[in-house]
Every structure is written in structure tokens, then in C-alpha cells.
Amino acid sequence: MVAHKVKVVVRLRPKFSDEEEVCVEAVSDTAVDILNSRNQGECLRYEFSKVFNHETSQNEVFEYCVKPLLYDVTHGQNVSTFAYGPTGAGKTHTILGTVEDPGIIPRTLLELFAITSKQMKEDDTWKFTIRFSYLEIYNEKAIDLLSENKSQDLPIREDKRKRVFIAGLTELEIKTYDDFKRAFGPASQNRTTASTKLNEHSSRSHSILIIKVAKHQQCEPYRKLTGKMHLIDLAGSENNKRTGNKGIRLKESGAINTSLFVLGQVVDALNQGLPHIPYRDSKLTRLLQDSLGGNSHSVMITNLSPEMCMYLDTYTSLNIAQKTRSVVNKTIVNEELERPKLGKRVLPDKHKAAKRVRLSDKENSDDELDDIESLTEDESSSSIRLDPAPYLSPLLRKQNDADEALQVLTDRLEDLERKFMQKINAESDRVAEANVLKEQRNEIRQLKESISKSFKTKKGALEDIKSNAIRQITSSPLFFNPIGRIKRKPFKSTARRKILSDSESDDENRSNKRETSPVQPAVNTDVVERFSQEILRTLNTGSEKDILQLQTVGKKRCLLIIKYREVNGSFACIDDLDQVPGFSATFVQSFKKKNLIST
């Protein structure tokens, strides 16, 4: 993609009369001066790519503006050339010309045929096809000038590649310049023209000639380059007061001026870099979408009238031409690969009969029959085809056909192999997933079994520990059978218990209950006596720390015991603890029982 600015040139026509004053003149090959309406003593200068004065010939205009671009058309690029200016400035003369002095269109077709013929002689692997269409935009209607139906309005659309085209437009293939003249002559007569005060044959519509040059490669890789060329004759802007338009002419001039006004808006939007370009506001700008801001090599030929009476139109045309110089197009090459079309093979009768017998003998599934038929079609299509290389000798052509047939079979076998491998890979993936799932299930099952075994082991160990503990407790000489114990109900009397005075009655009641107990555990008296002596020794000689280690003895009772033995001496027996102030006989019996069991 290469960026190119629109090339703008100016062409001044001769004066109609030597007595008339001029408002514009060419001062050099690239500059023109026009009078300044605000200051009669100075001129305004405009610079362009080229300025043609009234003495310039049609051939000079063609050689500079169009001929260098024909090489780009034959190599797949788009070219657009359009004549712009006020009515009566010579636009149609520049584009069409006369029989004696032809304009751009005839010279372009002659040069185009010469270039394509020369290129085919230099490289016979390429073939050119030239087609053309011709239409006009009249009152905002696109009319096909090559068709007999002049009332239809053809729609302008875009394809998937954002290329503008006219749906239903006639395209004629031409091989010589004479073919073009026979078709273009009557079509140009169909263009709408009328007489005004400024021009006897004023164009009432914009005419567009579209030339498509397709360049086909006749061998691998079968490239196709498509170049498109627009040659546009714009209708001139009109001042209805000066032209005297009325009725239908007034409507025509209104449509022409509106489309040219939209053209100026498109140029301004492109120069300002606006996000929206109003191409769709007019069918003319819609067709010029590739020419202005698109992908074409564009040339604008601005035709001017030098008379002072045309000053305002000339000044406006120069301003629009100056703005158009800043428009940038990005050209591309329209290239694609085009494989040759394959034809059907016509089999002799004996081959057809043999084919029917082979197919009738096959009693396979429908899929196998489809494979056989498709394979025979591929074989037949690969054997007979449109001749893509007429320059090859018969032997090389046969070799080429055999290679292509072998390539078709090879591609089909590769496709079948690829599908078969895809099925195998899919099946192997399913088997692998099943194996992985099976392994995961085995691992889960083994994990459950190990957890269950460890739980059973720990449970058995706990049971053993529990049974051993029970065995040791029950085997202890101080073991009391809990079955023989009688639970006493809590004392609910509101009377105050006299612990010290009623101790003897409590002992008698306790002894009675023991005698009435259904089970009396066996007690080893020697052991009890030995443990009692140890407890008594602790009470008499033990330190505060040793006494605190005894059961049911806290800090306060420990101090009472130590104070009592310091005053009264040692205890004769454990039961003497009831002499300590605050120690009841019940507490002494509980103290003896708990300390003997713990010891």
C-alpha cells in the first residue's frame, strides 16, 4: 500500500472573442493568476502539478495525465481521471474530443490495446481480458448507457472487500479498438445533453466510462491481476440566471449543482480528517469513493473559462482544485489466485458400460459407493479440462495432465489418511481417559482400605488399653465394686446440720448401710495399715508442699493442720484430724478414703 496525493492540473480554453477581457491566465507551467475581486490592483496565484494554456494539444494532455498510469492499470491497480469545471469550460472536449482531434477516452483505449499486446508478446504466460461499461448519473439516477432500458436506476453497492460496484451494469468484452468504437458510439449518443445560453451541447449528466483490465497467468500459481480505470466527464456547475434554465433544465441544473456541492464537502472532510466522509450523500461521490481518499491513482483536470463574465465560476473551481491537491489516496494491487476450471470427461460407450458393470458388482454400503463415484469424478475431471497452457507441446500437455491427475489422487488419499488418523487419535484419547479413570478409582479404593485398616488397628489398640486399665483397676486391693454403692439422695432439709455434734450418729448410719449393702468388697488390712502410716507420717513431719499433695487438702486446711501440730504435737492417728477446728468427722473419713485409694 503506497500513498499518493491526487494530481491536479489546470487547462485553460481559448477565448470565444478577442474583445473580451480575461480574468485568469497561465503565468508558468505550474501556476495561474486570477484577479482579486477585493483589490483590483493585485492577482491571486494558485500552484498546481501542471498548467496547460489554450495552445496545449489533446495529445499533450493525454501524455502527461493518463498515459503514465496505464502501466499501473495493466498491473492490477485502479486509476481515475475526471474533468472538472464550470459549464462551457471544455470538459467534454478534453474527455471525448472530436474525430479529427480525439480526447482522452479514444487515446486511452488505443494505448491500452498497444500495451497489452506488447506485454503478451514479451511474456506469453499471461493473457489479458478487457471489458468496459458506460453509464451516466442523471438527476441522481444511475443509468446504463449500453442497455436499451433507460428508465431503470441501478443501485450502487459494496462487496465484501469494500469495493464499490454498480449492480446490474452491463459489461462488454472487447478485443480490438474497433470493437470498442462499435459499442461506445451509440452509447455516447444516448447521453443526455441540451442547449443552454452558454453551450449548445451542454451535458446534463455526469458520464463515467469504466474500463476493467484482467491479467491472467496461464501457469502456476495462476495469478490474476484486475485493474480498473474510471474516465469521468463531470457536468459543469451552472448559474441559472446566466444559462436561462427553466422547467426540466432547472431541475437538471439543481441536481448537478447539488452533486458538485457534495463533492466539495467530501474534499473538505478528507482534508480535515473527519471521521465521517459524506460519500453517500450523492451518487457521484459514491462512485468517486475510490478516486478521492480511496485506492486509486487519481488525476483531476480542472477546465477553466478565461472570460471575465465567468470570474465567479472560475474562482470557485480554482479553490476546489486547490483543496483537492491535499487529498491522499493509498493505492493497492488487486491480486488473487485463480485455479483453472475443470471440465467433464465424455467417456466412450464401452467405458460407460464397464463403469456400470463395476458399480453394479459392488454391493457395499452407501458410503463406499459415494467414495467410488467421487473418485471416478475426480479422475474424469482431472483428465479433461479447459486448456490452461495452449503454448505447451502435446507431449508436455499430456505430462502436465498426468501430473495434475496424480496430484488430485494424492490430495484425496492424504485427506482420507488425515480423517483416519483423526478417528484413531480420538479413539486413543478415549481409551487413555478410561485408563486414567480406572487408575484413579483403584487409588481411591486402596486409600479407603488403608484408612479402614488403620482405623481398625487404632480401635483395637484402644480396646486393649481400655481392657488393661479395667483389669488393673479391678485387680487392685483397694478396688470398690461400684455395684455395691448406694446413691444417697441429696439432703433437702432446711434445718442447719450440726456437723461436729452429729458426727457419731453419721458414723453409725454409715456403718449400718455398709452392713446392709448387698456386696462387700474384700480389703487387705495390711496394705491399708501401711498406707495409713505413710499418710500419718506426712501429716506429722511433712512440709507444706507435702501436705498440699494429699487429697481434699487445700491451702487453708494445710495451714490449720500445721498450726495444730505446732501447738498440740503430732497426730496419733488419722482420725485425730477431727480435733482440728473446722475438721468434721465426715471430712476425716472422706480424707482417709480418698488418700488411701490414690496411694
Side-chain angles (χ1 to χ4, degrees):
M1 184 179 293
V2 183
H4 297 279
K5 286 188 176 181
V6 177
K7 182 185 292 186
V8 180
V9 301
V10 173
R11 187 181 188 186
L12 298 174
R13 68 163 174 79
K15 294 188 299 181
F16 288 149
S17 174
D18 294 337
E19 299 177 357
E20 294 184 4
E21 296 182 359
V22 296
C23 62
V24 61
E25 62 179 359
V27 294
S28 66
D29 292 341
T30 58
V32 294
D33 284 351
I34 186 173
L35 297 176
N36 188 355
S37 59
R38 298 180 180 181
N39 187 356
Q40 299 293 334
E42 67 176 9
C43 295
L44 301 177
R45 178 160 296 183
Y46 292 87
E47 296 285 342
F48 298 100
S49 300
K50 185 71 174 178
V51 175
F52 300 106
N53 56 27
H54 61 277
E55 298 178 353
T56 306
S57 64
Q58 296 277 64
N59 186 55
E60 292 177 354
V61 175
F62 171 75
E63 290 285 340
Y64 181 83
C65 297
V66 182
K67 187 176 180 179
L69 302 177
L70 296 181
Y71 177 83
D72 298 323
V73 177
T74 58
H75 286 75
Q77 299 186 41
N78 296 337
V79 173
S80 180
T81 302
F82 57 97
Y84 176 82
T87 184
K91 299 183 297 298
T92 303
H93 177 73
T94 300
I95 295 298
L96 289 178
T98 61
V99 177
E100 296 79 11
D101 193 9
I104 289 177
I105 289 178
R107 295 176 186 273
T108 298
L109 269 299
L110 285 171
E111 187 66 23
L112 199 59
F113 282 113
I115 291 175
T116 55
S117 177
K118 180 180 179 181
Q119 291 185 9
M120 284 191 293
K121 289 180 181 179
E122 294 176 353
D123 188 356
D124 56 359
T125 61
W126 292 89
K127 180 183 177 181
F128 284 91
T129 302
I130 300 177
R131 298 174 179 270
F132 86 99
S133 302
Y134 194 37
L135 73 149
E136 69 173 356
I137 299 178
Y138 175 71
N139 287 340
E140 285 301 307
K141 293 182 179 179
I143 301 174
D144 188 359
L145 297 178
L146 295 177
S147 175
E148 296 180 358
N149 188 3
K150 301 297 186 297
S151 61
Q152 62 179 349
D153 182 14
L154 301 179
I156 302 175
R157 297 173 180 168
E158 282 186 358
D159 59 8
K160 60 183 180 180
R161 297 183 181 179
K162 303 297 182 181
R163 295 179 298 190
V164 178
F165 71 97
I166 303 173
L169 184 63
T170 303
E171 285 188 359
L172 296 180
E173 182 178 353
I174 52 177
K175 297 183 178 179
T176 61
Y177 179 71
D178 293 335
D179 296 341
F180 172 74
K181 285 198 303 181
R182 282 192 293 269
F184 182 76
S188 61
Q189 297 297 326
N190 295 331
R191 185 183 177 187
T192 305
T193 58
S195 176
T196 63
K197 290 183 179 180
L198 298 179
N199 191 355
E200 293 183 0
H201 300 282
S202 176
S203 300
R204 314 309 299 165
S205 64
H206 309 291
S207 67
I208 301 100
L209 177 67
I210 303 174
I211 304 172
K212 292 183 179 180
V213 181
K215 187 177 181 181
H216 307 268
Q217 191 176 18
Q218 303 300 301
C219 57
E220 293 287 349
Y222 299 104
R223 296 167 57 199
K224 180 183 177 181
L225 305 176
T226 305
K228 183 171 63 174
M229 186 173 189
H230 288 83
L231 298 175
I232 305 171
D233 179 15
L234 298 178
S237 58
E238 294 183 343
N239 187 340
N240 292 319
K241 292 182 179 180
R242 300 182 66 251
T243 57
N245 292 330
K246 295 180 180 180
I248 188 66
R249 299 292 170 260
L250 186 63
K251 181 180 179 180
E252 293 170 352
S253 64
I256 293 171
N257 291 336
T258 299
S259 62
L260 294 177
F261 175 73
V262 175
L263 178 63
Q265 287 184 324
V266 169
V267 173
D268 290 337
L270 290 172
N271 290 333
Q272 296 175 16
L274 299 180
H276 173 68
I277 311 299
Y279 289 116
R280 297 176 182 269
D281 292 354
S282 171
K283 287 197 173 182
L284 173 63
T285 53
R286 183 67 167 149
L287 282 176
L288 290 175
Q289 186 169 344
D290 292 340
S291 305
L292 297 174
N295 54 15
S296 298
H297 296 275
S298 298
V299 178
M300 178 180 181
I301 303 175
T302 306
N303 296 84
L304 301 178
S305 299
E307 291 84 3
M308 183 62 70
C309 60
M310 300 292 294
Y311 173 82
L312 184 59
D313 294 332
T314 301
Y315 178 73
T316 303
S317 300
L318 284 174
N319 286 331
I320 294 178
Q322 185 71 21
K323 294 177 182 178
T324 308
R325 290 186 61 195
S326 302
V327 177
V328 178
N329 295 344
K330 297 180 180 180
T331 58
I332 60 174
V333 177
N334 302 309
E335 180 179 357
E336 58 185 348
L337 297 180
E338 185 182 46
R339 299 289 298 181
K341 297 181 180 179
L342 304 178
K344 293 184 178 180
R345 181 175 65 177
V346 180
L347 297 175
D349 294 338
K350 59 180 182 179
H351 292 292
K352 290 182 180 180
K355 181 180 177 181
R356 285 195 294 271
V357 170
R358 289 196 303 270
L359 294 178
S360 62
D361 292 339
K362 297 287 185 180
E363 296 181 354
N364 298 327
S365 63
D366 295 336
D367 295 337
E368 294 175 349
L369 289 176
D370 293 339
D371 293 339
I372 293 173
E373 291 177 358
S374 61
L375 186 58
T376 54
E377 289 177 1
D378 291 340
E379 292 175 352
S380 63
S381 61
S382 61
S383 59
I384 301 297
R385 65 189 75 257
L386 297 178
D387 193 0
Y391 53 86
L392 296 177
S393 64
L395 181 61
L396 293 178
R397 188 178 295 110
K398 289 181 180 180
Q399 180 65 31
N400 188 27
D401 294 342
D403 293 341
E404 291 179 356
L406 181 60
Q407 183 64 32
V408 170
L409 293 175
T410 303
D411 294 341
R412 181 167 179 78
L413 290 174
E414 290 178 353
D415 185 60
L416 292 175
E417 183 181 2
R418 184 174 62 256
K419 292 180 179 179
F420 180 72
M421 292 303 297
Q422 288 177 356
K423 290 183 179 180
I424 292 177
N425 292 334
E427 187 66 25
S428 62
D429 292 339
R430 287 195 293 271
V431 173
E433 291 176 357
N435 293 333
V436 172
L437 183 60
K438 186 176 180 181
E439 292 176 358
Q440 291 178 353
R441 288 178 178 175
N442 292 334
E443 291 177 358
I444 293 172
R445 185 170 61 254
Q446 293 175 2
L447 183 61
K448 287 182 177 179
E449 292 176 356
S450 62
I451 293 173
S452 178
K453 290 180 180 179
S454 62
F455 179 77
K456 289 180 180 180
T457 303
K458 291 182 179 180
K459 185 177 181 181
L462 291 174
E463 291 292 335
D464 295 338
I465 293 171
K466 184 176 180 182
S467 61
N468 292 332
I470 293 173
R471 192 181 303 111
Q472 291 177 3
I473 292 172
T474 54
S475 62
S476 173
L478 299 178
F479 173 74
F480 292 92
N481 190 357
I483 298 177
R485 296 180 181 178
I486 298 175
K487 296 183 178 179
R488 292 191 299 175
K489 293 182 180 180
F491 185 72
K492 297 183 179 180
S493 177
T494 57
R496 183 177 179 181
R497 295 183 63 184
K498 298 179 180 180
I499 300 174
L500 296 176
S501 62
D502 297 341
S503 60
E504 295 180 356
S505 61
D506 290 339
D507 291 338
E508 292 176 357
N509 293 334
R510 190 180 300 108
S511 61
N512 294 333
K513 288 181 181 180
R514 288 176 182 174
E515 292 176 356
T516 59
S517 178
V519 179
Q520 291 294 334
V523 178
N524 193 337
T525 57
D526 296 336
V527 176
V528 172
E529 184 64 25
R530 181 164 53 87
F531 289 163
S532 298
Q533 292 298 326
E534 292 180 0
I535 295 172
L536 182 61
R537 186 168 48 257
T538 302
L539 291 174
N540 293 327
T541 62
S543 62
E544 181 181 350
K545 182 177 179 182
D546 295 335
I547 296 173
L548 286 174
Q549 290 180 358
L550 296 175
Q551 297 294 327
T552 68
V553 178
K555 182 72 174 177
K556 186 175 181 180
R557 289 174 177 171
C558 178
L559 294 177
L560 290 174
I561 292 171
I562 295 173
K563 186 175 182 180
Y564 179 84
R565 77 182 183 184
E566 288 178 354
V567 175
N568 300 315
S570 300
F571 295 98
C573 62
I574 297 176
D575 294 335
D576 292 344
L577 285 174
D578 58 0
Q579 298 177 8
V580 178
F583 283 40
S584 64
T586 305
F587 167 74
V588 172
Q589 295 300 326
S590 177
F591 171 79
K592 289 172 60 179
K593 178 180 176 180
K594 290 184 179 181
N595 282 280
L596 289 173
I597 293 174
S598 63
T599 305

